[in-house]
Amino acid sequence: VGYLSSNIFASHNRATEAILKGIYTQSDSPFKRSMAFKAYVSVARSQEAKDELSKVWENPDSFEYVSLGQRDLMDLSYKLALLDPDSYLHLLEVQSLRLSSSPRLAEFRWVFPSLSPSEITRDSVFNSLLEKQNRSTEPWAAQALGFLNHEIRSEQALDYILPGLEVLEEVHYTGDIFFPARWCSALLSGHSSDSAYFIVNGFLERNRDYNPLLKNKILQQSQHLSRK
């Protein structure tokens, strides 16, 4: 299941979706069904998949194949906001109500604006992440940055790459030891264009004496760009 949700297989999305759906609807193993459904959510791109996920999200109790918890429904909300921007406000309202008595509500309402159909709102979220006080809850910050740079919106997110790299040293000095790698992954993994490669390469060319540890993290998280 893990291999099927990788970038290699995700490039053949319709076939991958069909395989994963077959697993989560037919497997005798609850664990395999759960893992296959998570992977299906991850790779979903087609109209058929969007309709399927929307149906599941609207009526999770009627979904017979996998038992969905709060985290699963949050992830579904995030994915549907990407696939169906017109549903953004509906997703926000309904999922917030579902989480009204949960400590996860604060996380959901903090992360969800990064999925806004409004480019102005997304720019505002990104600019807020450049301020260290807004990165204090690092898993939330990394998730929001990843959504801002998701492959579905990678073309609009090209302008985030350079300032995201320029703040990396501050991320390193003010955050957890593992946060720079997560930051680079969230910033770069959704990009695949020549433009993204030139931005990253240009940054490294202009900063030849850059911190070797951070340079390696940038190279690790952007190697897919140089292999195009």
Side-chain angles (χ1 to χ4, degrees), residues 14 37 41 67 113 147 151 156 163 168 171 180 191:
R14 294 302 294 270
F37 183 71
V41 173
S67 178
F147 287 143
E151 61 186 70
Q156 299 101 308
L168 181 59
V171 167
H191 292 277

Side-chain angles (χ1 to χ4, degrees), residues 93-124:
E93 179 182 0
V94 173
Q95 194 59 37
S96 294
L97 288 173
R98 288 172 173 170
L99 296 168
S100 60
S101 60
S102 169
R104 292 195 173 104
L105 177 61
E107 175 187 352
F108 177 76
R109 295 188 70 88
W110 196 95
V111 170
F112 206 65
S114 65
L115 294 154
S116 172
S118 165
E119 191 169 354
I120 293 174
T121 300
R122 298 198 305 274
D123 287 348
S124 177

